[in-house]
Amino acid sequence: MKNGSGNTNTKLILLHPYIQKQSSTTRLWLLAFVSFFTIIFLLTLLYTRDTIIPSRNTSVAAAVAAVVTSAADSNLPTTTINALLHYASRSNDSFHMSYGEMKSISDVLRRCAPPCNLLVFGLTHETLLWKALNNNGRTVFVEENRYYAAYFEEIHPEIDVFDVQYTTKAHEAGELVAAAKEAAGNECRPVQNLLFSDCKLGLNDLPNHVYDVDWDVIFVDGPRGDANEGPGRMSSIFTAAVLARSKKGGSPKTHVFVHDYYRDVERLCGDEFLCRENLVESNELLAHYVLDKMDKNSTRFCSDRKKRSVSSLS
């Protein structure tokens, strides 16, 4: 460019190597930044997939139980019942019951005159299933863990669950059963109001109205009974036996189911308090008893009648 004096000024622009180096470094940092977040995204996706899928599988009972919310009748259609049993038995939960076991209880609930009163000891994989199958009936759950009971009731407010503190240990079963048999004419008699009972095997700290209900079906699937230091199911089986014999109204018969029947404590207490003559079907995992209510002056749980034939649960 020329100025007024006729001199020409030449402007020279030099590109310093540092500028090119800085641009290259910026691109490398940007690439590293994008790569880092891409890896984080992929890891998050994989982790979410691994955690969601089992959760969906183990909550099958909750999903299929929702089917009944639109049912208007007190008796569910056969197709709905079969679907509930099918999906609950196909869960990946290793502690779920088999189709045959659930079907046995389901058949009794279906024949139960509405409104059916169902009492269940233990919150398990099948809790929502029992509530659904006893549609428009009364279903109450008894749980040993107060924190889990509160949590379960919070996420499923339609469930009635009460916590109870067991004072027994499974390894004491023989001694406790012997003491209860000896006191069968007094504090451990088969017909009584357990709310005022002094029998060590009787549960007397449930809400008052639980003792006033004439229960049609009682299912013993709790508390824990798989370890010597666990509470064992002596108290829940004894309580079920007394509630069934002490009914004041409704059907004179009560169906009592005992899960994990292969274990010594469940079999011992079943024989002594529910009685072999009342056992109608069983396999290694589930026993089904049918008990009649008794006279208030009765002092024996089991009679000398000949043991009835027992069928096998498929």
Side-chain angles (χ1 to χ4, degrees):
M1 183 176 185
K2 295 181 180 180
N3 57 15
S5 61
N7 294 330
T8 302
N9 293 330
T10 302
K11 294 184 178 179
L12 178 63
I13 299 176
L14 295 177
L15 295 176
H16 196 280
Y18 175 76
I19 298 176
Q20 295 179 338
K21 182 179 179 181
Q22 186 179 37
S23 177
S24 176
T25 303
T26 302
R27 283 197 296 269
L28 287 175
W29 274 108
L30 181 61
L31 180 61
F33 182 79
V34 172
S35 300
F36 174 77
F37 278 97
T38 301
I39 293 172
I40 293 297
F41 172 77
L42 291 174
L43 290 176
T44 303
L45 181 64
L46 290 173
Y47 175 78
T48 304
R49 180 178 180 273
D50 289 340
T51 55
I52 288 179
I53 290 178
S55 175
R56 290 175 58 190
N57 287 335
T58 55
S59 63
V60 173
V64 296
V67 174
V68 302
T69 57
S70 61
D73 300 329
S74 59
N75 296 322
L76 295 175
T78 302
T79 52
T80 302
I81 292 175
N82 289 339
L84 289 169
L85 295 175
H86 170 78
Y87 286 110
S89 66
R90 295 302 177 113
S91 166
N92 285 346
D93 192 319
S94 58
F95 298 103
H96 71 78
M97 297 175 68
S98 70
Y99 178 88
E101 293 162 352
M102 291 186 291
K103 182 69 161 53
S104 179
I105 300 174
S106 170
D107 288 345
V108 171
L109 290 174
R110 192 174 186 187
R111 294 192 299 265
C112 184
C116 187
N117 295 318
L118 169 62
L119 178 64
V120 182
F121 289 91
L123 289 176
T124 65
H125 171 80
E126 292 80 22
T127 294
L128 297 179
L129 177 67
W130 306 137
K131 174 66 176 177
L133 291 177
N134 193 30
N135 188 39
N136 288 346
R138 174 183 295 183
T139 305
V140 171
F141 297 88
V142 177
E143 168 60 27
E144 63 175 304
N145 188 325
R146 65 169 59 184
Y147 302 106
Y148 185 58
Y151 165 77
F152 201 91
E153 200 169 31
E154 181 179 353
I155 62 176
H156 298 291
E158 75 279 10
I159 299 294
D160 290 325
V161 54
F162 303 105
D163 66 275
V164 64
Q165 301 301 310
Y166 291 90
T167 60
T168 58
K169 300 292 183 183
H171 66 81
E172 303 171 335
E175 178 184 343
L176 291 171
V177 169
K181 287 177 61 180
E182 196 171 317
N186 196 0
E187 65 266 21
C188 295
R189 57 191 180 277
V191 179
Q192 60 173 306
N193 187 341
L194 286 171
L195 183 62
F196 308 105
S197 178
D198 292 323
C199 182
K200 188 168 183 180
L201 286 184
L203 297 177
N204 59 8
D205 56 349
L206 290 169
N208 293 8
H209 67 270
V210 173
Y211 304 103
D212 295 331
V213 175
D214 294 313
W215 299 104
D216 298 297
V217 183
I218 303 176
F219 180 35
V220 178
D221 202 11
R224 289 169 295 121
D226 55 354
N228 284 336
E229 292 304 316
R233 295 178 181 171
M234 301 84 71
S235 289
S236 52
I237 293 176
F238 177 85
T239 298
V242 172
L243 290 174
R245 267 78 175 227
S246 305
K247 294 173 73 171
K248 295 180 174 60
S251 171
K253 296 184 180 296
T254 303
H255 295 264
V256 180
F257 292 89
V258 178
H259 198 214
D260 299 315
Y261 188 60
Y262 67 93
R263 298 195 299 216
D264 293 338
V265 170
E266 281 76 358
R267 199 171 289 266
L268 170 65
C269 293
D271 287 346
E272 296 296 342
F273 302 127
L274 302 176
C275 308
R276 293 285 297 178
E277 70 254 21
N278 298 320
L279 183 63
V280 295
E281 56 180 353
S282 69
N283 63 15
E284 287 190 350
L285 289 176
L286 186 68
H288 177 196
Y289 298 84
V290 179
L291 278 62
D292 290 302
K293 68 179 181 180
M294 284 184 169
D295 182 84
K296 64 180 181 179
N297 296 318
S298 299
T299 58
R300 300 176 63 181
F301 283 89
C302 304
S303 69
D304 294 327
R305 290 181 298 169
K306 191 175 181 179
K307 182 172 59 179
R308 72 168 69 178
S309 60
V310 180
S311 61
S312 176
L313 287 166
S314 58

